[in-house]
Protein backbone atom coordinates (compact mmCIF):
# COMPACT_ATOMS: atom_id res chain seq x y z
CA UNK A 1 0.00 0.00 0.00
CA UNK A 2 1.27 3.43 -0.95
CA UNK A 3 0.82 6.72 0.89
CA UNK A 4 1.10 9.79 -1.27
CA UNK A 5 0.85 13.44 -0.34
CA UNK A 6 0.07 16.17 -2.85
CA UNK A 7 1.27 19.65 -1.96
CA UNK A 8 0.17 22.54 -4.15
CA UNK A 9 -0.69 26.22 -4.24
CA UNK A 10 -4.20 27.27 -5.25
CA UNK A 11 -4.99 26.70 -8.97
CA UNK A 12 -2.26 24.09 -9.49
CA UNK A 13 -4.87 21.44 -10.31
CA UNK A 14 -4.54 19.42 -7.12
CA UNK A 15 -8.17 18.25 -7.16
CA UNK A 16 -8.01 17.18 -10.80
CA UNK A 17 -4.70 15.35 -10.38
CA UNK A 18 -5.90 13.61 -7.20
CA UNK A 19 -8.87 12.29 -9.12
CA UNK A 20 -6.72 11.12 -12.05
CA UNK A 21 -4.35 9.34 -9.67
CA UNK A 22 -7.19 7.65 -7.76
CA UNK A 23 -8.90 6.52 -10.98
CA UNK A 24 -5.69 5.23 -12.57
CA UNK A 25 -4.10 3.57 -9.55
CA UNK A 26 -7.25 2.64 -7.66
CA UNK A 27 -6.18 4.69 -4.63
CA UNK A 28 -8.44 6.18 -1.98
CA UNK A 29 -8.72 9.96 -1.86
CA UNK A 30 -8.38 11.32 1.66
CA UNK A 31 -9.37 14.91 2.24
CA UNK A 32 -10.02 16.12 5.76
CA UNK A 33 -12.91 18.24 4.50
CA UNK A 34 -14.58 15.08 3.20
CA UNK A 35 -13.85 13.14 6.40
CA UNK A 36 -15.50 15.86 8.48
CA UNK A 37 -18.48 16.15 6.14
CA UNK A 38 -18.97 12.35 6.16
CA UNK A 39 -19.06 12.34 9.95
CA UNK A 40 -21.56 15.21 10.03
CA UNK A 41 -23.75 13.31 7.56
CA UNK A 42 -23.73 10.18 9.76
CA UNK A 43 -25.20 12.33 12.57
CA UNK A 44 -23.09 10.63 15.23
CA UNK A 45 -22.62 12.61 18.47
CA UNK A 46 -19.20 13.67 17.18
CA UNK A 47 -20.83 14.57 13.86
CA UNK A 48 -23.33 16.87 15.57
CA UNK A 49 -20.57 18.49 17.59
CA UNK A 50 -18.56 19.04 14.40
CA UNK A 51 -21.57 20.48 12.61
CA UNK A 52 -22.00 23.12 15.31
CA UNK A 53 -18.31 24.00 15.16
CA UNK A 54 -18.20 24.20 11.39
CA UNK A 55 -21.30 26.39 11.28
CA UNK A 56 -19.75 28.91 13.64
CA UNK A 57 -16.45 28.78 11.76
CA UNK A 58 -14.55 27.31 14.72
CA UNK A 59 -11.34 25.44 14.05
CA UNK A 60 -11.53 21.65 14.30
CA UNK A 61 -8.86 20.26 16.64
CA UNK A 62 -6.11 18.08 15.18
CA UNK A 63 -7.03 15.25 17.57
CA UNK A 64 -10.49 14.91 15.99
CA UNK A 65 -9.10 14.96 12.46
CA UNK A 66 -6.54 12.34 13.46
CA UNK A 67 -9.21 10.04 14.93
CA UNK A 68 -11.32 10.28 11.79
CA UNK A 69 -8.24 9.61 9.71
CA UNK A 70 -7.34 6.53 11.74
CA UNK A 71 -10.86 5.16 11.26
CA UNK A 72 -10.71 5.78 7.55
CA UNK A 73 -7.34 4.05 7.19
CA UNK A 74 -8.62 1.08 9.17
CA UNK A 75 -11.81 0.92 7.13
CA UNK A 76 -9.85 0.98 3.84
CA UNK A 77 -6.82 -1.00 4.93
CA UNK A 78 -6.96 -3.33 1.94
CA UNK A 79 -6.74 -0.51 -0.57
CA UNK A 80 -3.76 -0.16 -2.92
CA UNK A 81 -2.98 3.30 -1.65
CA UNK A 82 -4.03 6.66 -0.29
CA UNK A 83 -3.76 10.16 -1.64
CA UNK A 84 -3.71 12.83 1.04
CA UNK A 85 -5.20 16.07 -0.19
CA UNK A 86 -5.12 19.16 2.03
CA UNK A 87 -3.60 17.13 4.85
CA UNK A 88 -1.17 17.48 6.56
CA UNK A 89 -1.60 21.24 6.61
CA UNK A 90 1.30 21.98 8.93
CA UNK A 91 4.35 20.36 10.55
CA UNK A 92 2.40 19.29 13.62
CA UNK A 93 -0.08 17.35 11.50
CA UNK A 94 2.76 15.88 9.43
CA UNK A 95 4.34 14.51 12.60
CA UNK A 96 1.01 13.09 13.75
CA UNK A 97 0.50 11.43 10.37
CA UNK A 98 3.98 9.89 10.52
CA UNK A 99 3.09 8.52 13.93
CA UNK A 100 -0.20 6.93 12.78
CA UNK A 101 1.47 5.38 9.76
CA UNK A 102 4.33 4.05 11.86
CA UNK A 103 1.79 2.33 14.15
CA UNK A 104 0.47 0.63 11.00
CA UNK A 105 3.98 -0.31 9.84
CA UNK A 106 3.56 2.10 7.01
CA UNK A 107 5.06 5.41 5.89
CA UNK A 108 4.72 8.26 3.40
CA UNK A 109 6.10 6.91 0.12
CA UNK A 110 5.90 9.94 -2.13
CA UNK A 111 5.34 13.64 -1.71
CA UNK A 112 4.48 15.34 -4.97
CA UNK A 113 4.79 19.08 -5.06
CA UNK A 114 2.76 20.69 -7.84
CA UNK A 115 4.84 23.78 -8.39
CA UNK A 116 3.12 26.89 -9.74
CA UNK A 117 4.31 30.50 -9.65
CA UNK A 118 2.23 33.30 -8.14
CA UNK A 119 1.44 35.06 -11.45
CA UNK A 120 0.22 31.94 -13.25
CA UNK A 121 -1.85 30.85 -10.26
CA UNK A 122 -3.34 34.33 -9.97
CA UNK A 123 -4.28 34.51 -13.67
CA UNK A 124 -5.92 31.09 -13.54
CA UNK A 125 -8.16 32.19 -10.70
CA UNK A 126 -8.72 35.89 -11.24
CA UNK A 127 -9.45 35.50 -14.99
CA UNK A 128 -11.86 32.60 -14.55
CA UNK A 129 -15.47 32.99 -15.64
CA UNK A 130 -18.18 30.59 -16.70
CA UNK A 131 -21.38 30.44 -18.67
CA UNK A 132 -24.59 31.05 -16.75
CA UNK A 133 -26.39 28.51 -18.93
CA UNK A 134 -24.15 25.63 -20.02
CA UNK A 135 -21.39 25.98 -17.42
CA UNK A 136 -18.53 26.16 -19.96
CA UNK A 137 -15.45 27.68 -18.29
CA UNK A 138 -13.32 30.47 -19.82
CA UNK A 139 -10.41 32.59 -18.73
CA UNK A 140 -10.07 36.21 -19.81
CA UNK A 141 -6.39 36.36 -18.77
CA UNK A 142 -5.24 33.26 -20.69
CA UNK A 143 -5.18 33.65 -24.51
CA UNK A 144 -6.14 30.06 -25.33
CA UNK A 145 -9.16 30.18 -23.01
CA UNK A 146 -10.68 33.56 -23.86
CA UNK A 147 -14.25 33.62 -25.22
CA UNK A 148 -14.44 34.84 -28.83
CA UNK A 149 -16.75 37.68 -27.77
CA UNK A 150 -16.24 39.46 -24.46
CA UNK A 151 -18.63 38.21 -21.80
CA UNK A 152 -20.44 35.81 -24.15
CA UNK A 153 -20.31 32.00 -24.27
CA UNK A 154 -18.89 30.61 -27.55
CA UNK A 155 -21.11 27.56 -27.31
CA UNK A 156 -24.55 28.87 -26.43
CA UNK A 157 -24.33 32.68 -26.65
CA UNK A 158 -25.42 33.12 -23.01
CA UNK A 159 -23.66 35.61 -20.77
CA UNK A 160 -20.62 34.73 -18.64
CA UNK A 161 -20.27 35.39 -14.94
CA UNK A 162 -17.44 35.57 -12.42
CA UNK A 163 -17.59 34.12 -8.93
CA UNK A 164 -17.30 36.78 -6.23
CA UNK A 165 -14.40 35.10 -4.48
CA UNK A 166 -12.35 34.82 -7.68
CA UNK A 167 -10.76 38.20 -7.07
CA UNK A 168 -7.18 39.22 -6.56
CA UNK A 169 -7.60 40.11 -2.88
CA UNK A 170 -9.02 36.70 -1.92
CA UNK A 171 -6.47 34.94 -4.09
CA UNK A 172 -3.59 36.80 -2.43
CA UNK A 173 -4.79 35.73 1.02
CA UNK A 174 -5.13 32.09 -0.06
CA UNK A 175 -1.68 32.11 -1.60
CA UNK A 176 -0.15 33.62 1.52
CA UNK A 177 -1.75 30.95 3.70
CA UNK A 178 -0.35 28.31 1.35
CA UNK A 179 3.15 29.81 1.51
CA UNK A 180 3.05 30.05 5.27
CA UNK A 181 1.70 26.53 5.85
CA UNK A 182 2.87 24.47 2.89
CA UNK A 183 6.37 25.79 2.27
CA UNK A 184 7.59 24.38 5.62
CA UNK A 185 6.17 20.96 4.63
CA UNK A 186 8.31 20.91 1.48
CA UNK A 187 11.29 21.25 3.76
CA UNK A 188 9.89 18.66 6.20
CA UNK A 189 9.65 16.09 3.38
CA UNK A 190 12.80 17.25 1.60
CA UNK A 191 14.23 13.74 1.32
CA UNK A 192 11.27 12.37 -0.63
CA UNK A 193 9.56 15.39 -2.20
CA UNK A 194 9.44 15.51 -6.01
CA UNK A 195 8.59 18.65 -7.89
CA UNK A 196 6.26 18.70 -10.90
CA UNK A 197 5.93 21.77 -13.11
CA UNK A 198 2.23 22.59 -12.96
CA UNK A 199 2.27 25.41 -15.51
CA UNK A 200 1.90 22.60 -18.08
CA UNK A 201 -1.52 21.30 -19.13
CA UNK A 202 -3.41 18.70 -17.11
CA UNK A 203 -2.38 15.67 -19.18
CA UNK A 204 1.30 16.58 -19.22
CA UNK A 205 1.30 17.16 -15.47
CA UNK A 206 -0.33 13.76 -15.01
CA UNK A 207 2.32 12.12 -17.24
CA UNK A 208 4.99 13.56 -14.94
CA UNK A 209 3.15 12.23 -11.90
CA UNK A 210 2.88 8.78 -13.50
CA UNK A 211 6.62 8.76 -14.14
CA UNK A 212 7.07 9.31 -10.39
CA UNK A 213 4.50 6.72 -9.28
CA UNK A 214 5.37 4.10 -11.90
CA UNK A 215 3.04 1.98 -14.00
CA UNK A 216 -0.35 1.21 -12.43
CA UNK A 217 -0.93 -2.42 -11.44
ZN1 LIG B 1 -22.72 28.47 -22.60
Amino acid sequence: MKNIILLAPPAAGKGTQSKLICDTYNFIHISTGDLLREEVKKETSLGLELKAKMETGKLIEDSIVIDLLKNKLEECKNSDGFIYDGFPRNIKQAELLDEILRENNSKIDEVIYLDLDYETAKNRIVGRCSCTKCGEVYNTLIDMQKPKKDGICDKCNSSLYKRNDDNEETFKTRFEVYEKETKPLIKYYENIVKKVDSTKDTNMVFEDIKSILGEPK
Side-chain angles (χ1 to χ4, degrees):
M1 188 221 289
K2 277 200 163 196
N3 290 285
I4 294 145
I5 292 177
L6 286 187
L7 300 176
K14 185 154 60 86
T16 309
Q17 296 299 337
S18 300
K19 186 161 188 328
L20 286 169
I21 297 170
C22 288
D23 291 351
T24 307
Y25 291 89
N26 204 18
F27 289 174
I28 306 262
H29 181 237
I30 299 215
S31 108
T32 46
D34 287 347
L35 288 180
L36 294 168
R37 278 187 290 273
E38 267 174 37
E39 194 66 23
V40 168
K41 223 168 146 189
K42 285 193 233 156
E43 295 187 322
T44 57
S45 60
L46 175 62
L48 295 172
E49 196 187 309
L50 286 172
K51 187 171 179 221
K53 281 195 176 153
M54 285 152 87
E55 277 169 358
T56 52
K58 280 201 191 116
L59 225 77
I60 310 294
E61 299 93 323
D62 282 346
S63 58
I64 295 179
V65 176
I66 296 291
D67 281 345
L68 293 176
L69 186 62
K70 276 186 186 167
N71 292 344
K72 183 78 178 180
L73 295 182
E74 178 61 28
E75 199 181 299
C76 307
K77 63 182 172 197
N78 295 323
S79 113
D80 291 337
F82 296 100
I83 296 281
Y84 299 87
D85 172 0
F87 184 91
R89 237 175 346 122
N90 51 47
I91 304 279
K92 179 89 204 313
Q93 291 187 346
E95 289 169 350
L96 289 167
L97 180 60
D98 279 345
E99 219 172 278
I100 299 177
L101 293 178
R102 215 176 300 128
E103 284 168 16
N104 291 333
N105 290 320
S106 186
K107 63 176 172 45
I108 297 296
D109 299 286
E110 306 280 0
V111 177
I112 299 172
Y113 167 39
L114 302 177
D115 186 29
L116 193 67
D117 60 282
Y118 181 90
E119 274 307 300
T120 310
K122 188 191 79 181
N123 288 346
R124 282 185 184 175
I125 287 184
V126 176
R128 189 161 62 185
C129 54
S130 39
C131 175
T132 43
K133 198 170 173 201
C134 72
E136 184 73 8
V137 178
Y138 299 87
N139 193 307
T140 53
L141 298 175
I142 301 173
D143 282 340
M144 304 275 290
Q145 297 173 23
K146 280 181 188 166
K148 292 197 181 78
K149 263 191 265 169
D150 266 359
I152 302 292
C153 179
D154 293 353
K155 291 201 166 155
C156 72
N157 278 318
S158 301
S159 56
L160 304 179
Y161 77 102
K162 264 179 79 64
R163 275 171 38 176
N164 274 336
D165 50 354
D166 284 349
N167 63 58
E168 191 159 351
E169 197 67 14
T170 309
F171 169 75
K172 190 162 172 276
T173 311
R174 280 178 67 199
F175 202 89
E176 282 168 359
V177 169
Y178 150 76
E179 288 218 300
K180 191 166 154 261
E181 292 184 343
T182 308
K183 279 283 153 72
L185 287 174
I186 294 167
K187 174 94 181 121
Y188 181 86
Y189 293 115
E190 65 184 345
N191 294 328
I192 48 170
V193 71
K194 295 195 179 87
K195 188 155 96 172
V196 169
D197 174 5
S198 301
T199 56
K200 298 195 243 178
D201 75 42
T202 303
N203 291 331
M204 285 166 77
V205 171
F206 187 54
E207 284 306 314
D208 287 349
I209 292 178
K210 277 203 290 194
S211 71
I212 293 172
L213 298 181
E215 280 304 308
K217 275 198 247 172

